[in-house]
Amino acid sequence: MSKEKQILQFLQQGYSQRRIADTLSVSRNTVAKVAKAAMEHPVSTDILDSIDEPELHQKLFPEEALVPVLVTPDFDYIHKELLKSGVTLKLLWEEYVDTCRSSGKPPYMYSQYCKLYQDYVDKNKLTMHIRHKPGEKLMVDWDGTTLPLYDKLTGKSCKVYLFVATLPFSMYCFAKACLTMKEEDWINAHISMYEYFGGATRLLIPDNLKVGILSNKKYEDPVANRAYQELADHYQTALLPARVLAPRDKAAVEGTVGNLTSHIIAKLRNRQFFDINELNAAICKELDKFNRNSFQKKDGSRHSVFMEEELPFMQPLPKYPYEFAQWKTATVQMNYHIAIDQQNYSTPYEYVKKKVDIRYTRSIIEIFYKGTRICSHKRLYGRRGQYSTVIDHMPANHQLYSEWDSARFLKWALGIGEATKQVVQRMFESYRVEEQAYKGCLSLLKLADKYTPERLEDACQAALTRIPNPRYKNIRLILEAGQDKKSLEASKASAKVTSSDKYAIVRGAAYYGGGNHEE
């Protein structure tokens, strides 16, 4: 209620403006405004006691009566008209302005008109009618109804899930059956969706599924799954998940889920499918029929509106489709390699013992350190324990023998001797992977520099007589103990005895009855 009369009464009694403001709990500006108006348009004490508040306000501020009152829009009419096809708030505002001008009354401007309508919707808890722009939004979700997929041998069925996507402007739809609702199927369904539409939208609106959105709190930015965010970046679209427990944010796809349940799932209910590709072919056939069905209340179909009015406004697809990628954190091993699915990939040796992020797809392995990609490899398949090693990733002393192979080691060993070659050959045969023997072979052959090739050959020969598969350590111990020299001296002594006395074990004739034999 206005306190202008009380303010004037206190002013006539000689109260200060500050005291009046404190007493009546009003601002000092309000008191000053009334005091100024009373000076410009004086009101006597006799009149002040008998006049009511509205009349007093008119006497104090007569200029306000000259300001025209803006016409309040008919919000019930606006809300009903927006249900009609092609009717927008802009169109209804233009009609409202024409009506006001014809009656000589001032209208609200467009921004205030929209604000008043929004307040009306919020106050009455109504649904705001939104006019979508072509190529702006794409809404995705899972259909709650599943389809059966049968096993040819057992005849048992398992559930498959229907991924659904809708463009809200044209209501053009896409659907695909997936074996699971896991991340890989979710991403691959999006890839197929973009190929089907032939373009991307500015916004992608999913539900708050953990395979896509990790967190979507009310006053914080949503946090997307890493692979899902990569997919959005690849197709240059922004993720705008629906609010939690707010299905109206993706009303188009919610409605499509119900329609496709009737037009696809219900129609295929009496058919048995044994292959997911066969099922998706049948879904695609029914989906095409659904998209080409004519609208009931307007001309055209989903397909015709999409092709003529929406597709030209969609963003072109990238040159290559997105490839599903997984992420893993690993520590670089001492041999400057990391392992993915029991296959080994090299990193620059400077990152040994560092934690790195690994992004891997079906075709490529990418290794990142603190957000920077440090290397990549073509993904290995087949026999376990394979190595993909880049020479530049190795330390200088390892690069010394990185370009060697078994043939080169065997040729080097043969230059020392046949026994050395046999030892090297057996070392290669004892390992599953050829590269595993390189270090031992190099260390063995380097013993020739320390002990001479002749001694190495003798040591290898001695080792072969005692050990089935000698190693570098066995040869080194023989050389350190000098056992190669003892073996050589023993063999020479044996050869000397054999050559000097051919019949050393035969007694002479005298022993058997010669002239000197004792009787």
Side-chain angles (χ1 to χ4, degrees):
M1 183 176 178
S2 175
K3 297 182 179 181
E4 294 169 352
K5 180 182 285 189
Q6 293 175 288
I7 292 172
L8 286 178
Q9 289 173 344
F10 280 125
L11 286 172
Q12 290 177 356
Q13 294 174 15
Y15 283 73
S16 68
Q17 293 186 13
R18 183 187 297 274
R19 185 178 178 185
I20 295 172
D22 293 339
T23 303
L24 298 178
S25 299
V26 296
S27 68
R28 291 168 60 189
N29 289 338
T30 301
V31 177
K33 181 181 177 182
V34 173
K36 182 181 178 182
M39 292 178 63
E40 295 177 354
H41 308 286
V43 179
S44 64
T45 305
D46 299 336
I47 299 176
L48 183 61
D49 294 333
S50 60
I51 198 171
D52 57 8
E53 289 283 353
E55 188 177 354
L56 174 61
H57 182 81
Q58 188 174 358
K59 284 184 173 293
L60 290 174
F61 306 100
E63 63 276 3
E64 290 185 5
L66 303 176
V67 178
V69 179
L70 300 178
V71 178
T72 302
D74 185 348
F75 296 117
D76 287 334
Y77 169 79
I78 294 171
H79 196 72
K80 291 177 182 178
E81 288 297 303
L82 282 174
L83 291 171
K84 299 179 180 178
S85 177
V87 178
T88 64
L89 270 175
K90 184 76 170 179
L91 175 63
L92 293 174
W93 175 76
E94 291 173 351
E95 294 176 352
Y96 158 78
V97 170
D98 291 340
T99 303
C100 291
R101 287 175 178 171
S102 62
S103 61
K105 297 179 180 179
Y108 283 101
M109 299 304 291
Y110 179 66
S111 58
Q112 188 64 16
Y113 179 88
C114 294
K115 175 64 171 58
L116 292 171
Y117 174 65
Q118 178 66 64
D119 294 341
Y120 167 81
V121 170
D122 294 339
K123 181 180 178 181
N124 293 277
K125 297 182 180 180
L126 302 174
T127 302
M128 185 93 172
H129 301 296
I130 302 173
R131 177 64 175 175
H132 298 286
K133 297 179 181 178
E136 182 185 33
K137 296 178 183 178
L138 177 54
M139 301 178 180
V140 295
D141 201 358
W142 291 107
D143 192 324
T145 307
T146 59
L147 296 97
L149 187 66
Y150 294 88
D151 187 286
K152 288 184 178 180
L153 299 178
T154 64
K156 294 182 178 180
S157 64
C158 64
K159 294 179 180 179
V160 295
Y161 307 89
L162 194 66
F163 172 86
V164 180
T166 305
L167 293 163
F169 174 81
S170 61
M171 297 303 293
Y172 194 58
C173 306
F174 169 78
K176 181 182 180 180
C178 301
L179 292 173
T180 70
M181 297 174 71
K182 295 182 179 178
E183 182 184 23
E184 185 170 2
D185 282 320
W186 173 255
I187 297 295
N188 288 332
H190 279 73
I191 297 170
S192 300
M193 170 194 73
Y194 282 119
E195 291 178 356
Y196 182 82
F197 288 141
T201 56
R202 192 173 65 86
L203 297 174
L204 178 60
I205 304 176
D207 204 350
N208 292 282
L209 300 164
K210 289 300 180 184
V211 292
I213 305 299
L214 300 178
S215 173
N216 187 13
K217 297 182 180 179
K218 187 173 182 180
Y219 298 109
E220 298 177 10
D221 291 336
V223 179
N225 181 292
R226 195 166 188 175
Y228 199 40
Q229 185 62 58
E230 279 189 351
L231 175 131
D233 294 340
H234 183 80
Y235 290 100
Q236 297 182 349
T237 187
L239 289 174
L240 186 66
R243 291 170 297 170
V244 177
L245 302 178
R248 291 175 180 175
D249 289 356
K250 51 182 181 61
V253 73
E254 292 287 347
T256 300
V257 165
N259 290 332
L260 293 185
T261 300
S262 300
H263 287 80
I264 294 180
I265 297 178
K267 287 187 177 180
L268 300 178
R269 70 187 186 281
N270 295 323
R271 295 176 60 181
Q272 287 190 345
F273 297 94
F274 302 95
D275 181 74
I276 190 71
N277 295 322
E278 181 186 359
L279 174 59
N280 275 317
I283 289 173
C284 187
K285 185 176 180 181
E286 295 297 331
L287 179 67
D288 187 62
K289 291 180 181 177
F290 175 75
N291 281 328
R292 292 179 183 275
N293 285 341
S294 300
F295 289 122
Q296 293 182 351
K297 297 182 179 180
K298 59 182 180 180
D299 295 334
S301 63
R302 291 174 173 83
H303 181 266
S304 64
V305 174
F306 168 75
M307 295 300 294
E308 297 170 10
E309 300 181 36
E310 185 153 29
L311 184 58
F313 293 95
M314 296 182 72
Q315 300 172 172
L317 295 179
K319 187 175 182 181
Y320 300 103
Y322 176 76
E323 188 175 8
F324 173 67
Q326 294 175 281
W327 286 85
K328 177 182 178 181
T329 300
T331 302
V332 180
Q333 304 167 21
M334 290 300 295
N335 65 351
Y336 45 86
H337 284 72
I338 53 93
I340 294 290
D341 291 339
Q342 299 180 339
Q343 306 289 8
N344 301 282
Y345 306 89
S346 67
T347 68
Y349 71 93
E350 296 90 350
Y351 296 95
V352 167
K353 295 186 179 180
K354 303 284 188 183
K355 283 192 174 182
V356 295
D357 294 320
I358 307 163
R359 180 182 182 272
Y360 56 103
T361 67
R362 292 181 179 179
S363 59
I364 193 170
I365 302 288
E366 296 177 285
I367 303 173
F368 296 81
Y369 180 69
K370 293 184 177 180
T372 302
R373 191 175 78 165
I374 57 177
C375 61
S376 63
H377 296 265
K378 185 177 179 181
R379 189 164 183 180
L380 298 174
Y381 290 98
R383 175 174 49 83
R384 296 180 179 180
Q386 297 183 75
Y387 281 79
S388 174
T389 305
V390 178
I391 295 176
D392 291 340
H393 293 169
M394 306 171 73
N397 59 330
H398 288 201
Q399 293 182 23
L400 179 65
Y401 58 91
S402 63
E403 297 179 356
W404 289 52
D405 56 15
S406 59
R408 189 167 181 182
F409 277 109
L410 290 170
K411 183 179 180 181
W412 183 2
L414 184 59
I416 296 173
E418 184 62 34
T420 306
K421 179 186 176 184
Q422 288 185 32
V423 172
V424 171
Q425 181 67 48
R426 293 185 186 185
M427 289 176 71
F428 276 115
E429 291 173 353
S430 64
Y431 288 101
R432 180 180 297 177
V433 180
E434 179 182 292
E435 287 81 354
Q436 292 176 306
Y438 287 178
K439 186 176 181 179
C441 290
L442 184 63
S443 301
L444 172 69
L445 297 174
K446 283 289 185 179
L447 290 173
D449 297 337
K450 184 176 181 180
Y451 295 101
T452 73
E454 291 77 13
R455 286 195 64 188
L456 177 59
E457 174 66 14
D458 294 339
C460 289
Q461 192 169 3
L464 288 169
T465 61
R466 305 171 190 174
I467 307 170
N469 293 304
R471 293 285 195 275
Y472 158 74
K473 185 176 181 180
N474 305 128
I475 307 300
R476 180 175 58 79
L477 291 174
I478 290 173
L479 289 167
E480 288 177 352
Q483 293 179 8
D484 59 304
K485 295 180 180 180
K486 295 177 183 178
S487 298
L488 180 60
E489 290 173 358
S491 62
K492 286 182 179 179
S494 177
K496 185 176 181 180
V497 170
T498 302
S499 60
S500 62
D501 189 355
K502 186 176 181 182
Y503 305 102
I505 63 172
V506 180
R507 293 182 175 92
Y511 182 81
Y512 294 101
N516 295 327
H517 190 68
E518 295 181 359
E519 294 181 359

